[in-house]
Amino acid sequence: MAKLLIVDDSTMLRDMLNYALNEGGYTDVTEAVDGVDGLAKANSTNFDLIITDVNMPNMDGLTLIGELRKIPQYSKKPILVLTTERSDEMKTKGKAAGATGWIVKPFVPDQLLKAVNIVLSR
């Protein structure tokens, strides 16, 4: 089973994500409260997929993605952005940082699971 890391400063959103992922069969999910926490957890465990918010304290999601892409084990691993940001400019910045995909909040659990299944099957 795939190991997933979700990075978001909202406890409620992490709970909703965890629930949706668990319902979809992804039960090995680790949570991080911001980019600094996410980077530390990514350095201590090898995750198959990372889902991150953009706007967080301490380290934002785009900076986190850039830092993860410098780590050999995450250079090609899928990283999905789950955010309220919907502008083309932000999506371009996400792609430039190394994001695999972009999902706008509020998310639909079935669409999230479809995206997770697609990127994990590549």
Side-chain angles (χ1 to χ4, degrees):
M1 180 51 57
K3 293 178 70 69
L4 279 61
L5 173 65
I6 53 177
V7 187
D8 199 298
D9 57 319
S10 167
T11 302
M12 184 177 76
L13 192 76
R14 288 193 315 271
D15 289 347
M16 289 170 42
L17 268 171
N18 213 337
Y19 180 79
L21 291 167
N22 274 257
E23 287 293 302
Y26 297 100
T27 56
D28 194 349
V29 179
T30 300
E31 298 179 14
V33 299
D34 61 29
V36 171
D37 187 31
L39 187 59
K41 288 179 175 166
N43 275 314
S44 66
T45 303
N46 189 14
F47 294 100
D48 300 301
L49 168 66
I50 296 171
I51 302 171
T52 185
D53 187 14
V54 171
N55 299 311
M56 299 180 288
N58 303 313
M59 180 189 293
D60 68 80
L62 298 183
T63 303
L64 171 63
I65 293 169
E67 291 300 310
L68 288 167
R69 292 299 188 208
K70 294 176 188 175
I71 303 169
Q73 72 190 33
Y74 293 109
S75 66
K76 302 233 186 296
K77 293 270 175 90
I79 301 174
L80 294 176
V81 175
L82 180 64
T83 182
T84 57
E85 298 284 351
R86 56 183 73 233
S87 72
D88 289 339
E89 178 185 356
M90 284 302 290
K91 291 176 184 176
T92 300
K93 287 181 181 180
K95 187 173 183 175
T100 308
W102 195 275
I103 302 167
V104 177
K105 295 177 190 173
F107 71 93
V108 176
D110 288 344
Q111 290 175 341
L112 172 76
L113 289 171
K114 183 177 179 183
V116 167
N117 290 334
I118 289 169
V119 298
L120 285 174
S121 68
R122 290 182 182 166

